Amino acid sequence: MILSENNVFLLRNEEMSYLFRVTEHGNLEHLHFGAPVRIADADALAVKYGTGWGSTGGPEGEEFPMYLPLEWSGLGRGDYRESPLEMAGEMPTGFKFSYSKIHEGIVPMECSLPQAKGNAETLEIVCSNVGGLTLHLYYTLFDTALCRRAVLVNNTDRDVVIRKMMSSMLDMQGTYEMTTFNGSWIAEMQSYKAPVGMSGIVNESTTGFSSALHNPGFMLSEPGASEDHGVVYGFNLIYSGNHYARVQRANEGINRIVQGISPVSFEWKLAPAEAFETPEAVMTYSSDGYNGMSCRMHRFVNEHIVPERWRGKDRPVLYNDWEGCMFDFNEPKLMSLAKKAKKLGCELFVLDDGWFGARDNDKAGLGDYSVNRKKLPHGLSGLQAKLEKLGLAFGLWFEPEAVNPDSDLFRAHPDWAISEENGVVVLGRNELLLDLGKQEVRDYIVENVSRCIDEGKVSYVKWDMNRHSTALGASAHRCILGLYECLQRIFGPRPDVLLESCSSGGNRFDLGMLCYSPQIWSSDDTDAVERCRIQYNLSYLYPQSTIGAHVSEAPHSQTLRNTPLSTRGNISFFGLLGYEFDLDNLSPAETDEITNQIAFYKQFRHTFQFGQLRRLRAENGISMQVADDDACLVGLFQGLVPAAPGYERIFPQGLMPERPYHVESRKQWLNAALFGGLLRFVLPIKVKPDGILVRTAGKQYRMQDAVQACTASGSALMSGLSLNARFMGTGYDPSMRMQGDFGSNIYVITEEK
Ligand code: DGJ
């Protein structure tokens, strides 16, 4: 609900409210963002600045906005904190309130930027400045979050140039810690938490894209907040390009939070009567800790960001040929993989890089979307027909935004690629970016990708993008607008095609991409243990239904870690399950195990993909649960196993205290070779621990790990379910958990009827 009374504005949903007012001098004074309050609480919540703080700064006769918590500010009106808007030249950017308007629903944007959709109300605040500019601030209130954006209209008779324009600015009172998610290729989403001080914390990407270096989402929390208690705010931006956020504390205990497009190299000319629209900034609040905030963000993404067709819709279990084949495949090899994938239970076969042009490695052919007939003599339609016969849907990889200089496309249109600084050509993964600011480039992409999708009856597209560029400068934003236009033109008319976006893994994991692609490939780091941490940290801001997470080979190609197959599956269950290695090398025991994994995942697929995720307390390693009305599934992912382990427990949450529940751990198998030399104590014959007999036995047979089952009240389980003892070499009994390093299990908790 949005209320307005005497220029006080209240935006309130069930769990939070946002309150501000217009001061007698036309400033927008921020009053409150947090627990639900009333419009009549404005005076109680306002800061009391009495007769001022001593130094002056505003235009004559005005109060000094320098010390006021504000909703928007600018240069030239006495506020020395960070300005959300900067123009080239002398143009003043201080604004005063003119009028307000409440709209039913969202107010659609004019440009191609995506925005949150669904049931909402929007408050529009219109301000003007002495220079002839009009500023529209939009506040769209959803049931779980608030979106803010700003639009600047040039009402002068000459061109003006924007150097920096934020989507939102807000001054919040209090003491906060800021958590950002940073990293690099194969090391996405590492979390960093620091107190917000007077120099501020900046979270910014300047690589042309939202980037794995600094995810646009961040959190502010009150000191002492935990997963389940305390005040936590979540922020994000519906944008895939260069982004910027800064939180800076001022002496008076007010924190200025700005969010928007990065000002680095930004420049936008606005002709008379033209408007510039910023992307939407998203914010939400919870007093129930990080889990409370995540729950609201997840609902917001699932209900208002991902394309309508895919909201709450189960995603297929897929097989992707990339890590198994790379560029080296042909139709018989693909069909051999497809047959095995189908037998295991996969539903979708994805042909990754290498299917078109001269793309036998990553040095050539990118941009030439004609099928490589040597590899696929029957074309896309021929392959699709065979897959369809097997009962598999067909998915296809593209990387439409880039081009190899060694390609027909580049030879024909060298001017379509973005040339780098001072004419020096800098390649990233042997690629140049195409200039998506150009209509003819966008048309080429739309025509070619659409043609291939239609020709191959493709039901899933992996849209990759494998380079950064700091050289895009002012055209970076135009390219991002161009990208959104392409996505809309291709997938708008093809809503049933499931789009998974990817950028060297999670280099573009953001809400902008999620408006078109309901899922994103989380990382090229497919080592299960590492990716568990990546998934865990993604879960602060993004629901598990958006996280592509595949099982890959062990020992892993990047870490050489030999993670048990059971754990590789269990971790992927907490995202969108897929398999990505050469299935022709699977042993009978592995085949059995994967078949069981897929069947288990399918049994609980909706809960895994759309149940409410919570990060749980764990005594060793990581624990997460997903829960809905059908089941509560708790994953416990252990780290290194101590020789003398303490008693261990899991701590499910959200159960009904008085109700009885049945708990059962997933039945899973162990490689007999895990026991090495110990086998000599149990086998009647003498065997060498690393000999052929043990190795062959390991391939053919697996030992079953203990299944722990019990019944208990919700209250008891939430207090900590005591787990079966772990094997520690002092003896054996069949109820023992036999997992070694990085062992894991899933505990299925269902209400007893
Ligand atoms: C990078 C992606 O992240 C990988 O999954 C794969 O699609 C390769 N590109 C293909 O070149």
Side-chain angles (χ1 to χ4, degrees):
M1 133 186 101
I2 299 183
L3 297 175
S4 137
E5 246 175 64
N6 302 326
N7 282 346
V8 183
F9 303 96
L10 174 69
L11 300 97
R12 177 176 164 160
N13 60 28
E14 261 178 31
E15 285 166 69
M16 67 183 202
S17 60
Y18 193 100
L19 188 70
F20 64 97
R21 68 181 174 191
V22 181
T23 67
E24 59 174 311
H25 298 292
N27 292 310
L28 300 174
E29 180 186 3
H30 177 79
L31 298 168
H32 172 79
F33 177 26
V37 296
R38 303 167 314 155
I39 204 160
D41 294 329
D43 282 336
L45 290 162
V47 297
K48 311 295 183 289
Y49 56 93
T51 52
W53 291 74
S55 51
T56 59
E60 228 186 319
E62 288 192 13
E63 301 275 0
F64 315 123
M66 185 173 175
Y67 299 118
L68 263 192
L70 296 171
E71 282 291 300
W72 190 265
S73 188
L75 300 172
R77 291 199 65 212
D79 186 355
Y80 299 111
R81 294 165 292 183
E82 175 155 359
S83 172
L85 181 67
E86 287 173 28
M87 312 289 294
E90 297 286 290
M91 180 60 81
T93 58
F95 288 84
K96 285 193 169 198
F97 174 79
S98 300
Y99 65 93
S100 69
K101 218 168 156 180
I102 295 175
H103 305 260
E104 261 309 303
I106 65 162
V107 175
M109 292 205 203
E110 300 280 321
C111 69
S112 61
L113 282 172
Q115 63 188 126
K117 299 211 165 63
N119 257 351
E121 271 180 285
T122 303
L123 170 66
E124 180 182 2
I125 300 285
V126 185
C127 303
S128 53
N129 82 344
V130 289
L133 301 177
T134 309
L135 177 75
H136 299 250
L137 299 178
Y138 291 96
Y139 297 75
T140 301
L141 181 70
F142 294 92
D143 48 356
T144 43
L146 173 70
C147 290
R148 282 191 57 180
R149 65 188 173 96
V151 177
L152 191 69
V153 183
N154 179 6
N155 291 325
T156 72
D157 53 8
R158 61 190 198 287
D159 292 350
V160 296
V161 175
I162 303 172
R163 283 276 160 78
K164 166 186 178 185
M165 183 164 169
M166 293 291 104
S167 300
S168 85
M169 188 204 98
L170 132 83
D171 288 337
M172 267 195 336
Q173 209 174 350
T175 302
Y176 298 104
E177 292 170 333
M178 181 170 177
T179 307
T180 55
F181 298 95
N182 316 283
S184 71
W185 177 64
I186 61 171
E188 295 89 343
M189 294 302 284
Q190 301 173 46
S191 71
Y192 291 86
K193 184 168 165 178
V196 175
M198 289 176 68
S199 301
I201 299 176
V202 170
N203 185 46
E204 180 175 31
S205 160
T206 57
T207 66
F209 303 97
S210 52
S211 95
L213 280 61
H214 307 284
N215 191 277
F218 64 94
M219 308 187 288
L220 291 178
S221 49
E222 287 186 354
S226 65
E227 285 294 350
D228 296 306
H229 302 283
V231 165
V232 178
Y233 296 87
F235 295 86
N236 214 330
L237 193 67
I238 308 182
Y239 192 57
S240 311
N242 289 335
H243 61 82
Y244 176 82
R246 186 179 189 206
V247 185
Q248 186 183 18
R249 185 180 167 85
N251 186 47
E252 299 73 37
I254 304 289
N255 303 275
R256 173 151 296 181
I257 305 160
V258 294
Q259 277 179 276
I261 298 175
S262 162
V264 170
S265 311
F266 183 81
E267 197 173 87
W268 197 270
K269 192 172 93 200
L270 213 53
E274 270 183 4
F276 179 74
E277 297 178 296
T278 60
E280 277 187 327
V282 179
M283 47 198 85
T284 194
Y285 156 89
S286 174
S287 55
D288 295 327
Y290 294 102
N291 274 324
M293 186 282 294
S294 298
C295 170
R296 293 173 68 70
M297 268 298 187
H298 290 190
R299 278 181 52 205
F300 173 73
V301 174
N302 277 331
E303 290 162 20
H304 301 292
I305 292 289
V306 301
E308 213 177 327
R309 168 73 178 78
W310 293 98
R311 288 184 196 153
K313 178 149 169 47
D314 288 0
R315 311 294 163 69
V317 177
L318 67 82
Y319 174 76
N320 179 307
D321 77 322
W322 175 246
E323 291 199 7
C325 302
M326 302 260 152
F327 296 97
D328 184 18
F329 59 83
N330 54 27
E331 199 185 270
K333 174 70 184 173
L334 296 181
M335 288 316 296
S336 158
L337 293 170
K339 279 181 197 141
K340 296 195 169 80
K342 173 68 188 171
K343 263 195 152 164
L344 294 169
C346 294
E347 297 153 320
L348 166 70
F349 183 90
V350 181
L351 174 56
D352 209 282
D353 199 350
W355 60 270
F356 52 73
R359 197 136 167 97
D360 291 327
N361 52 50
D362 62 11
K363 293 189 176 60
L366 191 61
D368 303 337
Y369 292 100
S370 52
V371 178
N372 180 327
R373 292 273 164 181
K374 268 197 223 138
K375 292 180 185 173
L376 301 175
H378 305 102
L380 293 176
S381 55
L383 179 63
Q384 186 276 333
K386 289 187 176 163
L387 293 170
E388 192 179 313
K389 242 189 180 163
L390 275 183
L392 284 169
F394 179 34
L396 198 56
W397 178 96
F398 294 87
E399 190 181 346
E401 297 156 76
V403 63
N404 283 131
D406 183 4
S407 66
D408 294 341
L409 180 66
F410 186 77
R411 281 182 281 275
H413 301 284
D415 56 315
W416 284 11
I418 293 176
S419 59
E420 301 286 336
E421 295 112 303
N422 306 320
V424 180
V425 176
V426 179
L427 297 177
R429 206 195 182 203
N430 312 302
E431 295 167 10
L432 289 173
L433 284 170
L434 288 169
D435 185 353
L436 270 68
K438 289 192 161 99
Q439 185 66 51
E440 56 274 33
V441 174
R442 298 198 293 274
D443 291 346
Y444 176 84
I445 291 175
V446 172
E447 277 156 28
N448 278 277
V449 176
S450 305
R451 174 181 53 74
C452 296
I453 292 178
D454 296 342
E455 212 172 282
K457 292 194 190 147
V458 169
S459 54
Y460 160 107
V461 165
K462 179 172 173 188
W463 182 294
D464 203 350
M465 214 300 293
N466 286 302
R467 69 157 299 175
H468 301 277
S469 179
T470 50
L472 294 176
S475 38
H477 183 57
R478 271 203 178 83
C479 285
I480 294 293
L481 291 177
L483 165 66
Y484 293 141
E485 182 197 305
C486 291
L487 292 169
Q488 183 54 40
R489 283 170 62 194
I490 297 168
F491 297 100
R494 297 173 183 80
D496 292 338
V497 175
L498 173 59
L499 177 60
E500 175 154 352
S501 82
C502 166
S503 179
S504 304
N507 191 41
R508 206 160 57 179
F509 207 116
D510 61 62
L511 296 182
M513 292 312 289
L514 285 173
C515 285
Y516 303 93
S517 72
Q519 56 194 65
I520 299 181
W521 180 226
S522 54
S523 181
D524 278 353
D525 184 351
T526 51
D527 175 284
V529 174
E530 297 241 317
R531 228 232 353 270
C532 186
R533 175 59 65 187
I534 293 171
Q535 288 175 228
Y536 189 85
N537 284 341
L538 274 170
S539 81
Y540 280 98
L541 297 161
Y542 304 96
Q544 67 277 16
S545 62
T546 63
I547 301 175
H550 299 174
V551 175
S552 66
E553 203 155 39
H556 187 255
S557 56
Q558 289 148 357
T559 59
L560 306 182
R561 195 185 340 263
N562 207 344
T563 310
L565 182 53
S566 49
T567 293
R568 285 180 272 152
N570 292 340
I571 288 173
S572 294
F573 294 165
F574 280 78
L576 302 167
L577 180 65
Y579 289 81
E580 190 155 343
F581 49 77
D582 191 345
L583 301 178
D584 287 337
N585 298 333
L586 281 184
S587 70
E590 287 168 327
T591 304
D592 275 359
E593 185 164 351
I594 295 179
T595 310
N596 277 302
Q597 286 180 349
I598 296 180
F600 176 80
Y601 183 75
K602 284 181 179 169
Q603 188 187 346
F604 295 106
R605 176 180 357 215
H606 199 74
T607 311
F608 274 124
Q609 296 183 352
F610 296 99
Q612 185 186 334
L613 184 140
R614 279 192 172 96
R615 294 165 297 273
L616 304 179
R617 179 176 152 198
E619 286 162 329
N620 170 19
I622 279 183
S623 183
M624 292 184 269
Q625 76 170 39
V626 285
D628 60 12
D629 290 345
D630 293 333
C632 170
L633 308 165
V634 175
L636 177 62
F637 306 103
Q638 292 143 181
L640 297 177
V641 172
Y647 297 118
E648 288 170 296
R649 291 171 293 174
I650 51 166
F651 300 89
Q653 292 298 308
L655 305 175
M656 287 176 283
E658 301 299 329
R659 296 287 311 162
Y661 290 90
H662 178 73
V663 185
E664 189 159 329
S665 63
R666 185 171 88 83
K667 201 201 256 179
Q668 52 190 32
W669 285 264
L670 303 161
N671 187 339
L674 178 73
F675 296 91
L678 285 177
L679 290 173
R680 69 183 181 276
F681 298 116
V682 291
L683 292 180
I685 48 163
K686 265 200 166 169
V687 289
K688 273 195 174 172
D690 61 345
I692 183 145
L693 209 66
V694 171
R695 277 188 279 130
T696 313
K699 285 188 180 159
Q700 299 295 331
Y701 311 103
R702 299 230 148 191
M703 280 177 62
Q704 200 194 302
D705 194 11
V707 170
Q708 177 169 359
C710 70
T711 301
S713 69
S715 175
L717 294 175
M718 292 190 288
S719 306
L721 168 68
S722 186
L723 299 182
N724 283 3
R726 188 194 282 287
F727 174 79
M728 55 192 286
T730 51
Y732 170 75
D733 100 50
S735 73
M736 275 177 168
R737 287 182 299 141
M738 305 285 285
Q739 306 146 1
D741 286 350
F742 305 112
S744 67
N745 211 329
I746 308 282
Y747 296 82
V748 178
I749 304 176
T750 45
E751 205 185 325
E752 288 222 314
K753 298 284 175 207

